[in-house]
Amino acid sequence: MAKYDNLREQILDQARHLLVEKGYINVTMRKVAHLVGCTPTSIYLYFENKDALIHSLIEEGMDILHQKIKECLAAESDSAAQFKRMCHSFLEFGFTNPEYYVVMFQLPTDEMVPYPAEKYRRARSNLQQFADVLHQARGEKQPTIDPLVDATMVWSLLHGATSLYLAQRIDARIPKELFLTRTVDYAASMLNPIHQSS
Amino acid sequence: MAKYDNLREQILDQARHLLVEKGYINVTMRKVAHLVGCTPTSIYLYFENKDALIHSLIEEGMDILHQKIKECLAAESDSAAQFKRMCHSFLEFGFTNPEYYVVMFQLPTDEMVPYPAEKYRRARSNLQQFADVLHQARGEKQPTIDPLVDATMVWSLLHGATSLYLAQRIDARIPKELFLTRTVDYAASMLNPIHQSS
Amino acid sequence: MAKYDNLREQILDQARHLLVEKGYINVTMRKVAHLVGCTPTSIYLYFENKDALIHSLIEEGMDILHQKIKECLAAESDSAAQFKRMCHSFLEFGFTNPEYYVVMFQLPTDEMVPYPAEKYRRARSNLQQFADVLHQARGEKQPTIDPLVDATMVWSLLHGATSLYLAQRIDARIPKELFLTRTVDYAASMLNPIHQSS
Amino acid sequence: MAKYDNLREQILDQARHLLVEKGYINVTMRKVAHLVGCTPTSIYLYFENKDALIHSLIEEGMDILHQKIKECLAAESDSAAQFKRMCHSFLEFGFTNPEYYVVMFQLPTDEMVPYPAEKYRRARSNLQQFADVLHQARGEKQPTIDPLVDATMVWSLLHGATSLYLAQRIDARIPKELFLTRTVDYAASMLNPIHQSS
DNA sequence: AATGAATGAGGCTTCATTCAT
DNA sequence: AATGAATGAAGCCTCATTCAT
């Protein structure tokens, strides 16, 4: 029992590790097994096939992020505060859990990892819920501006920031914490009106 | 000579095509050769190996983007206008050239496609130059705020927007053009001061 | 004990079932165990290995056929009648027990399922005994013609008819019963002299 | 060119050899390659996949048998003579070409080797044509008896005889030639009326 | 009496690459 | 300038089997 969970988790760990360190195409049953120190066959004792393994990875991440976001809602009563906290949480989640972030948001899922549509909806809802809070906070002040577009742009910002950070394309002179808080500020500026394009 | 360039370009074309349509894992020498109508062996007459082929793809893209950005500088005299135009150009480049964008910014190049450091520097400079203009426009008005951070955030926004768009994760109800201009507006808001984090 | 036999028989049942429904390649310890509802390991409590399992199947079939043929001898006193009844029984055995027939006569046993020579002799004797009756019936009337050859030909006919029937290569317009009785008639024609080859 | 055909034929040869000697389940790309003395990969230069290899084997056999039967028709003018000659040819084909016979008539094609329906029809037509001649010869003398049933029984006999012979289940004391001619005689007895079942 | 955990061998297939021509 | 022939490594996966419990 202990051993069961142990090996299963080792497999997940090493798969995650490979994914982040070497990219998806380097996540092979053989390589994972090698890192774990078991036979490729053994992996099939815990996962039906490679897809199932990847899906487990994705779901793990979804759960964690979901939990984090729920905590943000509970921690604050003000919509704007909730929003900012959520932005921060999202970034922090990505920054500190590259293994999950990559698998959740950067996998070219279309062709590579056929993922049950139902589960995808859940994945999106995670971000949708995220967007909803912006709605609320924005809605109170700016009912005229389409909040869907703005939410999408906030999402773009957060996703882009995380992606570049994880790809180590952020200038080394910028401290992580600074980048993080300033990005949240930039996102929070969405709570206020934007100047129309000239 | 004409034939030489012809085949070489056909190879690049089909490789790009495969990359976008079927994903990186489906870019194989065999499949490229099949699409071109030549032998896999023939590809090696023009590219040392698969990595070299991918790198050529990347460089092609870098050149095109570089050209586009240079044109923005020439087209406007005002820094702010240059900046907005560049943002727009960058987005449009990504939106209309997914083949290049994917290979340039979304390939987990680290280990997947070992890329000579020297070439990477050139790649970065492309975006650096992009950031420089923000420097100028911002610098004139807000010399006190570290422009490097803000430039990075703009880049994050543009990269995130493009990535989500290409991954078809933008809500279908949002027209492409609207998304594009609004993102530019959001980026342009960087030209003005941001409210400090509370 | 009851449980012992129960599981053992379930294993044989499902192995037979798999053999007929899905073909020999689909008779795997895993699949048998799955159908039975036990572990692959458990099968090894009752059968030394896969070969032993297959052999048990073969022997089961041999016993049943043996019994059937013995009954034919008891049911009739006339040699010719015995012979016809045996032909009929053999065909019916094959038609109604494809699971056994396939494993008994259509498995390329030579190398696929190494079968102890001693057991093979017993298998042959089953058919030999079958041939003996022809001997008797024929012998009485045509002592000059080698009966071994004719017996072999009858066997060929019966085996061919059964094989084609089980492979569903008999024209669908021919009713099973008609095919069966006519084949027996054809076999019975062996009881009479055959015209020499011209 | 010479080498091309050479390797392709070596592959077919060894595949056929394995098939007869060790049974279908032992025909693996690895084993064939090993016997030929090449890499498994090389097989894929000549055959799209394993199925294609097996199909080639089947078609080879079909062609040869088809040719043989056509010759029988040409060699004789009398229907009865044609029929007997065809029986003999069929048996001889099977006896001397076990590689082809096994693959053509003894492969559990349903599950193991998905074979294009169209090609199967061709395979059957080979035997159908065979049956037609019996029709003719029979038709002249016995128009009242359903010739389809009798043809099927002849086919059963020939198929059974060949199968048992190839499985080496024919008593060693019976010379091949005797068995062959006597089987033809037995088949030829179909040209005459059969006594009804009592 | 039964199983959970594990494995080595091998199944089919595709890859990037080379070498002689 | 191009290719035909070939390969070793590796991809995913399933097999029969064992061993400790």
Side-chain angles (χ1 to χ4, degrees):
Chain A
M1 172 99 167
K3 212 175 181 186
Y4 179 102
D5 287 350
N6 188 26
L7 184 49
R8 193 190 130 96
E9 258 159 57
Q10 278 186 66
I11 292 168
L12 285 170
D13 284 351
Q14 298 301 340
R16 237 185 283 114
H17 177 248
L18 263 178
L19 187 71
V20 173
E21 233 39 51
K22 311 275 183 176
Y24 178 78
I25 48 163
N26 278 302
V27 181
T28 75
M29 302 307 252
R30 292 235 253 248
K31 284 178 184 163
V32 171
H34 181 75
L35 285 178
V36 169
C38 71
T39 314
T41 315
S42 293
I43 300 181
Y44 289 87
L45 291 175
Y46 302 93
F47 303 92
E48 203 185 328
N49 50 35
K50 190 182 171 180
D51 275 354
L53 172 55
I54 302 290
H55 292 166
S56 289
L57 245 37
I58 297 178
E59 269 171 83
E60 270 189 10
M62 292 297 175
D63 288 344
I64 297 176
L65 178 57
H66 191 69
Q67 186 59 31
K68 278 206 131 191
I69 287 181
K70 262 200 344 203
E71 285 170 15
C72 293
L73 293 171
E76 309 273 354
S77 52
D78 175 42
S79 281
Q82 284 177 336
F83 174 75
K84 288 175 85 169
R85 193 179 271 261
M86 278 171 64
C87 289
H88 195 277
S89 271
F90 184 88
L91 289 171
E92 203 170 46
F93 169 79
F95 283 28
T96 57
N97 299 285
E99 331 84 44
Y100 290 124
Y101 194 85
V102 167
V103 88
M104 286 164 70
F105 299 111
Q106 293 187 330
L107 232 47
T109 33
D110 285 354
E111 305 286 334
M112 276 153 122
V113 187
Y115 199 61
E118 160 233 352
K119 292 188 177 173
Y120 245 134
R121 233 171 293 130
R122 206 178 128 223
R124 290 202 189 191
S125 91
N126 236 342
L127 281 154
Q128 189 62 44
Q129 193 185 22
F130 183 93
D132 288 345
V133 176
L134 173 65
H135 268 216
Q136 271 187 14
R138 273 304 287 286
E140 293 154 20
K141 298 178 189 168
Q142 296 283 332
T144 55
I145 299 181
D146 186 357
L148 179 60
V149 178
D150 292 345
T152 303
M153 271 151 36
V154 169
W155 181 14
S156 296
L157 172 63
L158 299 177
H159 178 58
T162 311
S163 295
L164 293 179
Y165 180 83
L166 294 185
Q168 297 184 306
R169 297 198 178 177
I170 302 296
D171 193 300
R173 285 165 293 177
I174 303 176
K176 171 188 162 185
E177 274 308 316
L178 177 64
F179 180 55
L180 217 153
T181 54
R182 293 292 286 277
T183 303
V184 173
D185 287 344
Y186 189 20
S189 77
M190 260 304 172
L191 296 167
N192 303 315
I194 294 186
H195 319 302
Q196 276 307 95
S197 179
S198 57
Chain B
M1 177 85 171
K3 209 178 180 188
Y4 181 103
D5 287 351
N6 187 29
L7 184 48
R8 194 190 129 94
E9 259 161 56
Q10 278 186 61
I11 292 168
L12 284 170
D13 283 350
Q14 299 301 340
R16 226 184 296 115
H17 177 250
L18 266 177
L19 185 70
V20 174
E21 291 308 308
K22 311 275 182 181
Y24 181 79
I25 21 170
N26 279 303
V27 181
T28 74
M29 302 305 253
R30 217 175 267 222
K31 285 176 185 165
V32 170
H34 180 75
L35 285 177
V36 168
C38 71
T39 321
T41 320
S42 296
I43 300 181
Y44 288 87
L45 292 174
Y46 301 93
F47 302 94
E48 199 188 331
N49 52 31
K50 191 182 169 180
D51 276 352
L53 171 56
I54 301 290
H55 292 161
S56 289
L57 241 38
I58 297 177
E59 273 174 79
E60 264 190 14
M62 292 297 178
D63 286 346
I64 296 176
L65 179 58
H66 190 69
Q67 186 59 29
K68 275 207 132 192
I69 288 180
K70 265 203 336 207
E71 284 168 15
C72 294
L73 294 173
E76 310 272 355
S77 52
D78 175 41
S79 281
Q82 287 176 335
F83 174 75
K84 286 175 85 169
R85 192 180 273 262
M86 279 169 64
C87 289
H88 196 275
S89 271
F90 184 89
L91 289 172
E92 205 170 45
F93 169 78
F95 283 30
T96 56
N97 299 283
E99 333 86 75
Y100 287 126
Y101 196 86
V102 166
V103 87
M104 285 164 71
F105 298 113
Q106 293 188 329
L107 233 45
T109 34
D110 286 354
E111 304 284 333
M112 207 159 133
V113 186
Y115 199 62
E118 157 234 352
K119 292 187 179 175
Y120 248 133
R121 230 171 296 129
R122 199 173 137 228
R124 288 201 191 193
S125 89
N126 229 343
L127 283 152
Q128 191 60 45
Q129 190 184 28
F130 181 94
D132 288 345
V133 177
L134 173 67
H135 263 219
Q136 272 187 14
R138 272 304 289 286
E140 294 154 21
K141 297 178 190 171
Q142 295 283 336
T144 56
I145 299 180
D146 186 357
L148 179 60
V149 178
D150 291 347
T152 303
M153 269 150 38
V154 169
W155 182 17
S156 296
L157 172 64
L158 298 176
H159 176 58
T162 310
S163 296
L164 293 179
Y165 179 82
L166 295 185
Q168 295 184 308
R169 296 198 179 178
I170 301 296
D171 193 299
R173 285 166 294 178
I174 303 176
K176 173 187 161 184
E177 273 310 315
L178 176 64
F179 180 58
L180 216 150
T181 54
R182 292 293 285 278
T183 303
V184 172
D185 288 344
Y186 189 21
S189 76
M190 262 302 174
L191 296 167
N192 303 317
I194 294 185
H195 319 302
Q196 274 311 91
S197 177
S198 60
Chain C
M1 176 89 168
K3 208 178 179 188
Y4 180 102
D5 287 351
N6 187 28
L7 185 48
R8 194 190 129 96
E9 258 161 56
Q10 279 185 60
I11 293 168
L12 285 170
D13 283 350
Q14 299 301 340
R16 225 185 296 115
H17 178 250
L18 265 177
L19 185 70
V20 174
E21 291 307 308
K22 310 275 181 179
Y24 181 78
I25 21 170
N26 280 303
V27 181
T28 74
M29 302 305 252
R30 217 174 267 220
K31 284 175 186 164
V32 170
H34 180 75
L35 285 177
V36 168
C38 71
T39 322
T41 320
S42 297
I43 300 180
Y44 288 86
L45 293 174
Y46 301 93
F47 303 94
E48 200 188 330
N49 52 31
K50 192 182 169 182
D51 277 352
L53 172 55
I54 302 290
H55 293 162
S56 289
L57 241 38
I58 297 178
E59 273 174 79
E60 266 191 12
M62 292 298 177
D63 286 345
I64 295 176
L65 179 57
H66 190 69
Q67 186 60 30
K68 275 207 133 191
I69 288 181
K70 265 204 333 208
E71 284 169 16
C72 294
L73 294 173
E76 311 272 355
S77 52
D78 176 40
S79 281
Q82 286 177 335
F83 174 75
K84 287 174 86 168
R85 193 180 273 262
M86 281 169 61
C87 290
H88 195 275
S89 271
F90 183 89
L91 289 171
E92 204 170 46
F93 170 78
F95 283 29
T96 57
N97 299 284
E99 332 87 73
Y100 288 124
Y101 196 85
V102 167
V103 86
M104 285 164 69
F105 299 113
Q106 294 188 330
L107 233 48
T109 34
D110 286 354
E111 302 284 333
M112 208 160 133
V113 186
Y115 199 62
E118 158 233 351
K119 292 189 178 174
Y120 247 134
R121 232 171 294 129
R122 201 175 135 226
R124 287 202 190 191
S125 88
N126 229 343
L127 282 153
Q128 191 61 45
Q129 190 184 27
F130 182 92
D132 288 346
V133 177
L134 175 65
H135 264 218
Q136 273 187 12
R138 272 304 287 289
E140 293 154 21
K141 298 178 190 169
Q142 296 284 334
T144 55
I145 299 179
D146 186 356
L148 179 60
V149 178
D150 291 346
T152 303
M153 270 150 39
V154 169
W155 182 15
S156 297
L157 172 63
L158 298 177
H159 176 59
T162 310
S163 296
L164 292 179
Y165 179 81
L166 294 184
Q168 295 184 308
R169 297 199 177 177
I170 301 295
D171 193 300
R173 285 166 293 178
I174 304 177
K176 174 187 161 184
E177 274 309 316
L178 177 64
F179 180 56
L180 217 150
T181 54
R182 292 293 285 278
T183 303
V184 173
D185 289 344
Y186 189 20
S189 75
M190 261 304 173
L191 296 167
N192 302 317
I194 294 185
H195 318 302
Q196 275 309 94
S197 178
S198 58
Chain D
M1 173 95 168
K3 212 175 180 186
Y4 180 101
D5 287 349
N6 187 26
L7 183 49
R8 194 191 129 95
E9 258 159 55
Q10 277 186 67
I11 292 168
L12 284 171
D13 283 351
Q14 298 300 341
R16 238 185 282 114
H17 178 247
L18 264 178
L19 187 70
V20 173
E21 233 38 52
K22 311 274 183 178
Y24 178 78
I25 47 164
N26 278 302
V27 180
T28 75
M29 301 307 253
R30 292 233 252 248
K31 283 177 185 164
V32 170
H34 181 75
L35 284 178
V36 169
C38 71
T39 314
T41 315
S42 294
I43 300 181
Y44 288 87
L45 291 175
Y46 302 93
F47 302 94
E48 202 185 331
N49 50 33
K50 190 182 169 180
D51 275 354
L53 172 55
I54 302 291
H55 292 167
S56 290
L57 244 36
I58 297 179
E59 270 173 82
E60 270 189 9
M62 291 297 175
D63 287 344
I64 296 176
L65 178 57
H66 191 70
Q67 187 59 30
K68 277 206 130 189
I69 286 181
K70 264 204 339 206
E71 285 169 14
C72 294
L73 293 172
E76 309 274 354
S77 53
D78 176 40
S79 281
Q82 284 177 336
F83 174 74
K84 287 175 85 168
R85 193 180 271 261
M86 279 169 64
C87 290
H88 195 276
S89 271
F90 184 87
L91 288 172
E92 203 170 46
F93 169 78
F95 283 28
T96 57
N97 299 285
E99 331 85 44
Y100 289 125
Y101 195 85
V102 167
V103 89
M104 286 164 71
F105 298 112
Q106 294 187 329
L107 232 47
T109 33
D110 285 354
E111 305 286 334
M112 274 152 122
V113 186
Y115 199 63
E118 158 233 351
K119 292 188 178 174
Y120 245 134
R121 231 170 295 129
R122 206 178 129 222
R124 289 203 189 190
S125 90
N126 237 341
L127 281 155
Q128 190 61 44
Q129 192 184 24
F130 183 94
D132 288 345
V133 177
L134 174 65
H135 268 215
Q136 272 187 13
R138 273 303 288 287
E140 293 154 21
K141 298 178 188 170
Q142 295 284 332
T144 56
I145 299 181
D146 186 357
L148 180 60
V149 179
D150 291 346
T152 303
M153 271 151 38
V154 169
W155 181 14
S156 297
L157 172 63
L158 298 177
H159 178 58
T162 311
S163 295
L164 292 179
Y165 180 82
L166 294 185
Q168 296 184 306
R169 297 199 178 177
I170 301 297
D171 193 299
R173 286 166 292 177
I174 303 176
K176 173 187 161 184
E177 273 309 316
L178 176 64
F179 180 56
L180 217 150
T181 54
R182 293 294 285 277
T183 302
V184 172
D185 288 343
Y186 189 20
S189 76
M190 262 302 173
L191 295 167
N192 302 317
I194 295 185
H195 318 303
Q196 276 307 95
S197 179
S198 60

